[in-house]
Amino acid sequence: CGDDMATCESNSNALKGKDSIGQVVNVGCPMVKDFNRFSENAEEILDSCMNHLAETIEMSVEKDGLFNVIIVDSTANKIITSVFARTFKDFYDKYDVLEKGKIIILSAMTDRSDEWHENFLKSFKEKVLLSDPAVYVEVALYGTADDDFKLLLVSEHDDIVNKLKVVTKSVETTTGLESEVQLINGGLWLMQDDFKASHPYSPDDYDK
């Protein structure tokens, strides 16, 4: 959420009550409303936001278990999402909060002025999830007057390709829009100590 928790809670009501969804937790920072990064207490406000996010996340995990889906609400902004990513990077072993092999993060980018959505998801993938099978995905949605509308995903799901098919099909069915997967960017390769190939290949093999 952003600093407008009431609107965010109203938006999240669409998710509540669905059989496939357990619990919905709204996470935001009301204290960053009208935030000015040049003010004398800017750093204090950001620290307060980080502590608030950490406490909310910890309470939710203790009560309802690990997170497997994170949705960036339309009320969110780049300040809160930046603090949110920093909270995971600085405070947590990610698997103390996120369900390993199942996490999916979703956001919608309606036009190029929303590029911070891209930056947030890419940063979360590169600094929090980091390694394969983590992926960053861009799905273009056509059928509106705005050709820049995209669905952005970051996932560590162990069956991301099939999950992506389900997500895009659901979006097309519920919105009437056509979808096109434009980018899938994987994570870092996992280091395998003392790796020995079952069949070593030489440069000559690539010339055949």
Side-chain angles (χ1 to χ4, degrees):
C1 299
D3 51 44
D4 184 356
M5 294 300 295
T7 299
C8 182
E9 289 173 4
S10 177
N11 293 341
S12 69
N13 285 337
L15 301 174
K16 297 176 181 178
K18 292 185 178 296
D19 294 337
S20 59
I21 297 177
Q23 297 293 327
V24 176
V25 181
N26 297 309
V27 181
C29 286
M31 66 282 294
V32 301
K33 187 175 179 64
D34 301 322
F35 176 76
N36 180 356
R37 64 191 181 96
F38 298 109
S39 66
E40 293 182 358
N41 63 341
E43 186 173 347
E44 180 182 334
I45 292 172
L46 293 179
D47 287 342
S48 175
C49 176
M50 177 179 283
N51 291 332
H52 177 71
L53 292 177
E55 289 173 6
T56 304
I57 292 168
E58 288 169 358
M59 289 175 59
S60 177
V61 169
E62 183 177 339
K63 180 183 176 183
D64 300 314
L66 302 177
F67 289 84
N68 52 30
V69 177
I70 298 173
I71 298 175
V72 181
D73 186 70
S74 60
T75 63
N77 58 54
K78 61 183 177 181
I79 297 170
I80 293 177
T81 51
S82 175
V83 175
F84 182 83
R86 203 175 104 202
T87 301
F88 274 87
K89 183 175 180 293
D90 292 353
F91 278 78
Y92 297 112
D93 177 332
K94 59 189 174 187
Y95 297 128
D96 288 341
V97 176
L98 307 175
E99 187 175 356
K100 188 173 183 178
K102 301 296 180 185
I103 185 65
I104 295 178
I105 307 173
L106 296 166
S107 183
M109 190 176 76
T110 57
D111 57 56
R112 298 311 301 177
S113 65
D114 286 339
E115 279 189 346
W116 65 264
H117 289 261
E118 283 186 10
N119 296 334
F120 164 63
L121 267 72
K122 288 177 180 177
S123 177
F124 200 96
K125 176 221 158 200
E126 294 168 2
K127 296 179 180 179
V128 179
L129 298 183
L130 193 64
S131 301
D132 185 72
V135 294
Y136 168 79
V137 181
E138 293 184 3
V139 181
L141 298 174
Y142 302 110
T144 69
D146 192 346
D147 289 337
D148 288 329
F149 191 81
K150 290 182 179 179
L151 179 65
L152 310 176
L153 301 90
V154 162
S155 178
E156 197 187 48
H157 202 285
D158 46 20
D159 190 19
I160 182 58
V161 174
N162 285 324
K163 182 61 68 173
L164 191 56
K165 290 179 181 178
V166 172
V167 171
T168 53
K169 184 65 175 178
S170 176
V171 169
E172 289 180 349
T173 301
T174 55
T175 66
L177 303 176
E178 294 183 9
S179 65
E180 177 187 24
V181 178
Q182 293 188 327
L183 175 66
I184 299 180
N185 188 343
L188 296 177
W189 292 348
L190 296 174
M191 177 65 181
Q192 299 180 57
D193 294 326
D194 300 320
F195 174 76
K196 292 182 177 58
S198 59
H199 180 81
Y201 290 90
S202 70
D204 292 337
D205 291 313
Y206 293 92
D207 295 330
K208 295 180 180 179

